[in-house]
Amino acid sequence: MATQGSNRHQGEWVTKYNLQYGNDTERFHNYAAPGQNTTKGFCKRTARFTAVFTNLGKIGPKGPDAIGSHYKDQDHDGEVKLLSGIQLWTVPRTGEYRIEAIGASGGYSEDSFIKTGGRGARMIGNFNLTKDEIIHVLVGQKGEKESFNSKTAGGGGGTFVVKGNNKSLIIAGGGGGIKNVLEQHPGCNASINRTGNGGYNLPLGSGGSNGNGEKASTKYSGSGGGGFYSNGQSASSGSGREGKGYLQGGEGGDVRGTVQS
């Protein structure tokens, strides 16, 4: 026995069916289980698509440059390409997809009592996608550890899931980098609202808002992280380079960079 979906709608397939039998080609009877008078219905397991996108083993401010065998034998194997560190996924069939995005955690400095930076945000939503459309996925990368006690570690990268026309579907911010922190503090974690958190020590920073990058709070602070629409702001001390916004390429900041106007 075989089941077939609609010839006109390739994204559809059989999920329930009944059986009939007969001794000739004219009269058929519905199949019922032994001892039962009602027609027996059968269910066919539906194909479930699950794809987990990763940073492909890449660390640092720049995104991955090769997929390699990271997605081998997974549902999205062969459906993903790379363009300037951003993964381009071709939707296999039309339907509703549940998408979960998680921002990367920040790094920590050697003098921090806790060895975990600020936590990234976790965002979940359901979206209708169309077969063969291209979805852009930028996976945030963990903030780098800082080996010099005088400097704050890097913040984690945000994760962006975007349609091909630069329409954002879901975004999860990255956690902040920490220095000399005794306990986990909510101000260092990524926000799930439209405005980012301002950090821990005074004076507090000004988190990015409404998709724009973060501003540096003082000349001693680290540079700001990029948002969706715009870059972060470089620290006036010149000790680091700001993170780029998604529309500017999404490259992370760098403590060894130069200040850009």
Side-chain angles (χ1 to χ4, degrees):
M1 180 187 69
T3 61
Q4 179 179 340
S6 170
N7 290 327
R8 292 183 301 168
H9 305 286
Q10 296 183 5
E12 298 177 357
W13 58 91
V14 175
T15 59
K16 297 180 180 179
Y17 57 91
N18 300 326
L19 293 180
Q20 292 184 319
Y21 64 94
N23 295 324
D24 52 46
T25 59
E26 296 181 358
R27 291 173 296 180
F28 293 90
H29 308 279
N30 290 323
Y31 173 79
Q36 301 293 324
N37 295 322
T38 58
T39 301
K40 180 177 176 60
F42 295 84
C43 295
K44 182 180 183 297
R45 178 179 292 181
T46 59
R48 180 177 180 179
F49 179 90
T50 302
V52 178
F53 292 84
T54 71
N55 60 14
L56 302 175
K58 187 72 173 180
I59 61 174
K62 295 184 180 296
D65 51 17
I67 295 176
S69 60
H70 285 275
Y71 298 150
K72 181 177 175 57
D73 297 329
Q74 299 185 42
D75 287 355
H76 54 324
D77 186 2
E79 298 176 354
V80 183
K81 297 181 180 179
L82 270 176
L83 178 64
S84 301
I86 296 177
Q87 302 178 53
L88 309 182
W89 169 56
T90 302
V91 177
R93 58 176 176 262
T94 298
E96 183 179 76
Y97 290 77
R98 179 180 175 87
I99 300 177
E100 177 177 341
I102 302 176
S105 62
Y108 60 89
S109 61
E110 286 286 358
D111 59 357
S112 290
F113 181 78
I114 60 171
K115 302 302 181 184
T116 55
R119 299 185 178 97
R122 180 188 182 200
M123 309 296 286
I124 302 174
N126 293 335
F127 303 91
N128 291 316
L129 304 180
T130 304
K131 184 179 185 297
D132 292 333
E133 73 173 313
I134 306 299
I135 303 299
H136 296 216
V137 181
L138 190 159
V139 178
Q141 294 168 195
K142 181 178 173 60
E144 290 189 281
K145 175 183 173 182
E146 183 51 65
S147 57
F148 298 97
N149 288 341
S150 61
K151 299 183 182 296
T152 301
T159 293
F160 300 78
V161 182
V162 181
K163 284 198 170 187
N165 57 357
N166 284 331
K167 178 182 179 181
S168 61
L169 293 177
I170 192 166
I171 298 172
I178 63 173
K179 178 189 181 307
N180 193 21
V181 175
L182 298 178
E183 59 184 0
Q184 199 79 35
H185 194 278
C188 300
N189 298 333
S191 170
I192 59 173
N193 301 311
R194 290 182 177 271
T195 300
N197 292 327
Y200 176 45
N201 287 329
L202 296 175
L204 294 178
S206 175
S209 62
N210 296 317
N212 293 300
E214 181 183 8
K215 296 181 179 180
S217 57
T218 71
K219 68 178 182 179
Y220 301 108
S221 67
S223 296
F228 180 77
Y229 296 110
S230 63
N231 300 335
Q233 182 184 50
S234 286
S236 59
S237 62
S239 62
R241 175 171 58 82
E242 80 284 357
K244 301 296 184 183
Y246 174 86
L247 296 181
Q248 289 74 38
E251 185 176 322
D254 194 337
V255 70
R256 294 170 293 279
T258 57
V259 176
Q260 298 183 5
S261 59

